[in-house]
Amino acid sequence: PKTMTTRFFPAYPWDKSSLKSMPVDLQQFKKLDAYALEVNVKNSVEELVKALLKQARTDLEKVRAIWMWICHHIEYDVVGYHNKSQLSSKPRDVLQMGKSICEGYAELFEHMCSLAGIQCKKLSGHAKGHGYKTGQTFTGDSDHAWNAVYLEGRWHLLDSTWGSGSVDDSFTKFTYRYNEFYFLTHPALFINNHFPDNSNWQLLKPTLTLKEFENNMLHNSNFYMLGLLAAHPETPIIQTVNGKASVSVDCRSGTLFMFKLKGTDEHGLMTLKKHGMKLDIYPQKTGSHKLEIFAKPSKAEASDDVYKCVVEYVVECDSVDKAMRFPKALHQPVGPSWFSERQGFLRPSHRKPILHTNDGRCSLTFTLGKDISVLTSLHTDGSSLAENMGRRHVLQIHRGNQIELKVHLPHAGSFVLKIYSKKKSDPGNYDYIFNYLIRCLNTEVKWPAFPQSYSKWLQDYEILEPLSGLLPANRNVQFKLKMPGVAKVLVQAENTHPLTHNRGCWEGTCNTSGCREVFVMVHENANHSFYSHVLKYEVETQ
């Protein structure tokens, strides 16, 4: 066999060109893969290889057929793992039993390749596999085995144990789950969780030291299979600075993310970017916290429509930033993104996830896509905002395809503005789209809700005054409303006050004495004899 004067792969890290160490067209393997899965020969390894090679011409195809067969017919021996003395890794025994541990997978692979006339080596070393703890060190004998095969003038790496499936946390049950990632993996990605005893078999120039291997981020295969490119920081243990830690992930595009810090997503602020995500974490307890980042493609096939864990950190927190406690209602990610744009909320006036207001008021604008109806609500911890009141602290104003959301906070604190939408033509419910965090530190703030509006209040109507839904008692109050295309507008207090039409606005005054409620009513056209209620104001009690 050729000695290791093989061509090495260029310097680590990964050049992001391909997940494989040679060009592989999986579509072209479809027929071969299907054939290999059906081969059912158990009496001898020689007979099995002979059968598999019937459909394979090139060396690459031969290796592929052997790989496919092993990944789908040999299961990991969880019982044997706990009692290695009884275990044989001889290819013939592995074939007979139909199960083995990594040693047996690698020996069977090597033997089948040699029968097929392909150079193959069994490699051993340390792996960040089952039971690996973030940041741990590796000592003593190697704990895993895999293979290198010689194809088209150079060596390539593969791991049929990890290609075949996975073992549960308690290490008592194996599940077949084919993983394409470990077939001819690019060495710069393979080194992420495989460290060979002989560093030449990293196939990298320069090679990594064991210490570098231990300190490097573990990206599991989902990370690369989902098209993610990098995660920052690049070390698995993060220290908070003044109670805060930041993480980001880069990806090609259109990926959705979520995170869990000690199993919950309450103590962070995640924003979605076109090419990834950014996350600021504010643990509310000191100590060590496990942080998991999950991802899924936004245009997922039904089968892939689950978030998969792509990277794990440990966050070491030595001080807590109490000011960064978020309301329970806050939903991740926060702020606008390509996702809210795709749902028809274009050109947001505020691109950041947090809005700060000193006087307790703020206003956001968007250009709306066609045929969109919007619903908004304001939430905070505690009972100060009941469900129906949460809606009345946000006012929608439509001008053409522009929407303005005016927010008046009932008091100081942290609030969540949630935005829902549906197609106007759809009868169904509104879908949640995105949310903002609004903060106000000014304890003087105390805005009343906006007036209550009814179904006859149309999208192109606008209140100019009074904006407050709570009117002073025994006063003359000035009304000014934009209500195009109606015949008459009245304000009903103790008495009825008609408004007059003036330059596109309905204007007039109304006296609030002697009543608890004031209604605005509209006569939609001159032929109607009845009025529709469109707005309701409360009057302050004496």
Side-chain angles (χ1 to χ4, degrees), residues 17 26 31 50 63 141 145 153 240 242 310 330 340 363 375 389 450 461 507:
S17 57
L26 295 177
K31 256 170 78 174
K50 206 189 248 162
V63 169
D141 293 342
T240 58
N242 302 328
V310 290
L330 190 66
S340 51
S363 154
L375 185 73
M389 287 312 284
F450 293 105
Y461 294 174
E507 299 179 289

Side-chain angles (χ1 to χ4, degrees), residues 123-127 141-146 194-198:
L123 304 176
S124 54
H126 293 292
D141 293 342
S142 57
D143 54 27
H144 191 51
W146 57 94
H194 292 75
F195 190 83
D197 293 335
N198 174 345

Side-chain angles (χ1 to χ4, degrees), residues 58-69:
T58 66
D59 283 358
L60 174 59
E61 286 173 358
K62 291 173 187 173
V63 169
R64 178 71 178 187
I66 293 168
W67 158 267
M68 267 331 239
W69 193 90

Side-chain angles (χ1 to χ4, degrees), residues 111-299:
H111 185 54
M112 287 174 74
C113 281
S114 73
L115 290 172
I118 288 156
Q119 282 190 78
C120 177
K121 276 188 82 68
K122 184 185 105 185
L123 304 176
S124 54
H126 293 292
K128 293 183 182 178
H130 192 273
Y132 169 72
K133 296 270 182 289
T134 300
Q136 77 169 61
T137 56
F138 291 90
T139 52
D141 293 342
S142 57
D143 54 27
H144 191 51
W146 57 94
N147 298 94
V149 289
Y150 196 80
L151 292 169
E152 300 185 11
R154 70 194 313 179
W155 288 96
H156 301 268
L157 302 167
L158 44 78
D159 183 341
S160 58
T161 311
W162 289 10
S164 65
S166 57
V167 172
D168 67 338
D169 286 342
S170 59
F171 219 82
T172 50
K173 184 167 167 292
F174 169 82
T175 309
Y176 276 115
R177 191 179 296 117
Y178 176 69
N179 193 337
E180 178 60 48
F181 183 72
Y182 293 106
F183 180 69
L184 310 185
T185 316
H186 192 300
L189 304 184
F190 204 75
I191 192 65
N192 198 264
N193 44 21
H194 292 75
F195 190 83
D197 293 335
N198 174 345
S199 62
N200 279 331
W201 285 108
Q202 293 179 25
L203 303 184
L204 292 169
K205 267 273 191 277
T207 52
L208 268 72
T209 63
L210 181 60
K211 192 96 207 97
E212 289 171 312
F213 173 73
E214 288 168 349
N215 292 339
N216 265 359
M217 254 338 275
L218 172 61
H219 301 146
N220 60 26
S221 59
N222 295 328
F223 184 93
Y224 299 108
M225 298 299 262
L226 283 166
L228 308 188
L229 301 172
H232 309 280
E234 290 175 338
T235 47
I237 297 173
I238 315 174
Q239 308 287 340
T240 58
V241 178
N242 302 328
K244 171 183 174 183
S246 296
V247 170
S248 63
V249 178
D250 304 337
C251 63
R252 291 202 159 89
S253 71
T255 306
L256 294 169
F257 291 90
M258 59 176 263
F259 72 92
K260 290 210 156 101
L261 182 73
K262 271 207 161 153
T264 148
D265 68 357
E266 283 171 29
H267 307 301
L269 195 72
M270 182 176 82
T271 49
L272 219 46
K273 308 273 181 234
K274 192 173 165 142
H275 295 294
M277 73 90 164
K278 188 174 180 325
L279 170 62
D280 292 331
I281 288 283
Y282 301 90
Q284 293 299 302
K285 284 201 177 92
T286 56
S288 275
H289 307 278
K290 178 157 113 172
L291 170 63
E292 301 164 287
I293 312 278
F294 302 83
K296 73 170 187 181
S298 66
K299 293 192 168 79

